[in-house]
Amino acid sequence: MSTPTDINGNLPPAAKEGIDFEGLPWNMNCVDSHKYLHLTTTDVWKETHYDPKTDSGDAITSSKAYATSPLPLYPSTTSLNYGTTIWEGLKCYRTTSGTAAVFRPDMNWKRFSNGAKEMCLPAPSLDLFLRCVQTACRENADLIPPYGEGMKLYVRPMLLGSGQQLGLYPSPEFSMLFFVSPTGNYFKGKAVGGLKLHLETNRSRAARGGLGSVKCSGNYAVTLRPLMDAKKEGFDDNLYLELDTYQEGNLEGAIIQELSAANIFLVLRTGEIVTPSLGRKTILPGVTRDSILVLAREYADELRDAMVASTGNDSVIVTVSERDVKVEDLKNASEVFITGTAAEVVPVASLATGSRDADDFSVTLEHGKTLPGGPVTSKLLDILRQVMVGTRSCEATRGWLRDPFASAEVFRAY
């Protein structure tokens, strides 16, 4: 059994005064105060970048002022021409004990490394990746918001081809970056209800055999035009389909994927908590997605009362699964929610087709009309946040919280 927090480092300095951290939007904030890391290589990452035996290297010394040290990019930069950029998103925040915690950075490294391989970029070692995350948090320590619901220092690692070339081949130089932004409570100032989602039947986010499971820039660029179109019709986001499984006139038989930048879960009246499988390699293996799966399985018995309240079935049994999820499953859902780094868990109020779609479909979820969502959605959010701030733990969550102000050895030791 793990300790209550899994972290035992020094307390970070106090949050910078004069900033309304809770009210900060999901955007770049306080950029005049940021520092970022910039490491480069022409082949692989070496001990000069980071040597864990001596805790030395560029991972510790390569920080720059964000506002006054822009990247030196040329028009022929590989990533600008051919899109060879991957990135991650993770968070650092204060726990109830006052220590800082970074949430599951090893999971981000695993996805980062897979993306690097797919995009012909040199993957960093786990030691190098974690030390860079730790340095980014330390260099921006006073931008870690005070303890409070939903507030965090967002950390974005990036890896891109930064060399110059015209030909279509891997870059002659690579840059790895770690930059940050403090962000506030995702829900502050937002409407009182859940998301209104559009079922996108015309355009594809990802197809089998492609890069749908890689956190590369192109996976987000392809969603922008459909997202803007959906917003014009009053939707908050799109829910994409495995478009090869959709036939006009049989929308309910189509398999769903994910949103523009979030995974989706259904709470079915049968008691099943289900999310689309990763097996098709068309959706991102989200860290919050995985965390919810782990916690739902670990605390299934505790979730039972919430499931009864959600479904109205006194004999319901909670089960958790990953499988192909069809549009028709939405009609059997008592709750639907999405997961992501920004808001953690967000309820869905409705899903429907729009004016551009050939098929008509509409589902309204009563439990999603108010925040934080239905009984199961809100219970899972409570459990997740308790784990995040160190007031709940179990063997399955061991190592999820790492203190960036502990020693480098302790930070990477889980």
Side-chain angles (χ1 to χ4, degrees):
M1 183 68 68
S2 59
T3 61
T5 62
D6 274 335
I7 52 180
N8 57 356
N10 298 316
L11 293 178
K16 191 172 184 177
E17 295 183 357
I19 299 175
D20 175 18
F21 283 99
E22 187 178 13
L24 292 176
W26 181 250
N27 208 330
M28 292 298 294
N29 301 304
C30 312
V31 293
D32 289 342
S33 302
H34 294 196
K35 290 184 178 179
Y36 75 100
L37 277 67
H38 183 189
L39 289 72
T40 62
T41 187
T42 56
D43 46 23
V44 297
W45 303 104
K46 303 179 177 70
E47 287 187 350
T48 53
H49 297 106
Y50 184 60
D51 183 354
K53 295 187 294 293
T54 59
D55 190 34
S56 62
D58 295 343
I60 302 168
T61 62
S62 66
S63 65
K64 300 180 179 183
Y66 185 93
T68 58
S69 301
L71 291 179
L73 297 179
Y74 293 90
S76 59
T77 297
T78 310
S79 59
L80 294 181
N81 288 270
Y82 300 118
T84 56
T85 302
I86 62 170
W87 55 274
E88 279 298 322
L90 44 84
K91 52 198 170 191
C92 177
Y93 52 89
R94 298 175 196 259
T95 69
T96 53
S97 65
T99 55
V102 177
F103 188 71
R104 305 191 72 184
D106 54 308
M107 291 289 290
N108 294 96
W109 168 79
K110 182 178 179 180
R111 188 170 60 185
F112 199 66
S113 297
N114 176 66
K117 178 182 177 181
E118 293 295 327
M119 302 294 284
C120 295
L121 302 167
S125 66
L126 178 59
D127 288 344
L128 172 58
F129 182 86
L130 290 179
R131 193 61 177 94
C132 288
V133 169
Q134 192 176 17
T135 301
C137 293
R138 290 182 175 187
E139 290 288 329
N140 297 281
D142 63 348
L143 293 178
I144 303 172
Y147 172 74
E149 191 173 279
M151 294 186 289
K152 63 187 74 71
L153 180 70
Y154 179 80
V155 182
R156 176 165 289 188
M158 295 181 68
L159 181 58
L160 61 136
S162 54
Q164 302 180 60
Q165 65 184 42
L166 286 178
L168 182 59
Y169 48 84
S171 178
E173 180 190 84
F174 309 94
S175 288
M176 187 161 60
L177 312 165
F178 292 76
F179 71 92
V180 305
S181 181
T183 62
N185 188 329
Y186 179 86
F187 294 108
K188 185 173 182 179
K190 293 187 181 293
V192 295
L195 298 174
K196 181 181 179 182
L197 300 184
H198 169 242
L199 280 173
E200 176 56 67
T201 66
N202 294 302
R203 288 170 290 195
S204 174
R205 176 195 162 272
R208 298 185 76 172
L211 295 172
S213 62
V214 176
K215 201 170 179 69
C216 59
S217 296
N219 274 342
Y220 296 86
V222 75
T223 68
L224 287 175
R225 183 71 269 160
L227 180 59
M228 296 302 101
D229 290 343
K231 287 182 178 294
K232 287 178 182 177
E233 296 199 19
F235 296 103
D236 295 304
D237 205 340
N238 290 302
L239 173 58
Y240 288 91
L241 306 176
E242 297 283 355
L243 212 52
D244 62 329
T245 69
Y246 166 58
Q247 293 182 337
E248 188 174 324
N250 185 27
L251 175 57
E252 292 187 13
I255 295 171
I256 66 174
Q257 285 185 353
E258 63 175 333
L259 280 67
S260 302
N263 297 118
I264 191 165
F265 282 77
L266 281 65
V267 179
L268 301 181
R269 293 185 177 87
T270 59
E272 181 185 15
I273 301 172
V274 60
T275 192
S277 167
L278 300 177
R280 292 175 175 267
K281 296 186 178 180
T282 55
I283 65 173
L284 283 169
V287 176
T288 310
R289 172 191 181 276
D290 183 80
S291 302
I292 289 295
L293 285 169
V294 171
L295 296 175
R297 289 171 177 141
E298 187 69 25
Y299 296 106
D301 290 343
E302 188 176 336
L303 286 166
R304 188 178 178 281
D305 287 346
M307 185 65 78
V308 170
S310 179
T311 63
N313 182 357
D314 290 338
S315 60
V316 72
I317 301 298
V318 177
T319 61
V320 183
S321 62
E322 303 170 74
R323 60 171 174 82
D324 284 346
V325 181
K326 296 185 176 182
V327 173
E328 64 185 3
D329 288 316
L330 294 168
K331 297 171 69 175
N332 189 39
S334 60
E335 300 177 44
V336 176
F337 61 87
I338 68 162
T339 59
T341 301
E344 289 122 24
V345 177
V346 183
V348 173
S350 66
L351 301 99
T353 50
S355 64
R356 299 169 182 261
D357 303 292
D359 288 280
D360 290 328
F361 181 87
S362 179
V363 167
T364 299
L365 299 142
E366 293 298 324
H367 286 307
K369 289 184 175 180
T370 57
L371 298 177
V376 176
T377 301
S378 57
K379 181 65 175 179
L380 282 169
L381 177 59
D382 285 344
I383 292 173
L384 175 64
R385 286 184 169 169
Q386 288 166 14
V387 170
M388 286 175 57
V389 299
T391 58
R392 180 193 288 254
S393 66
C394 63
E395 190 59 34
T397 64
R398 180 174 175 78
W400 282 19
L401 309 184
R402 303 191 186 212
D403 185 351
F405 296 91
S407 68
E409 182 180 8
V410 169
F411 188 71
R412 65 174 183 264
Y414 296 98

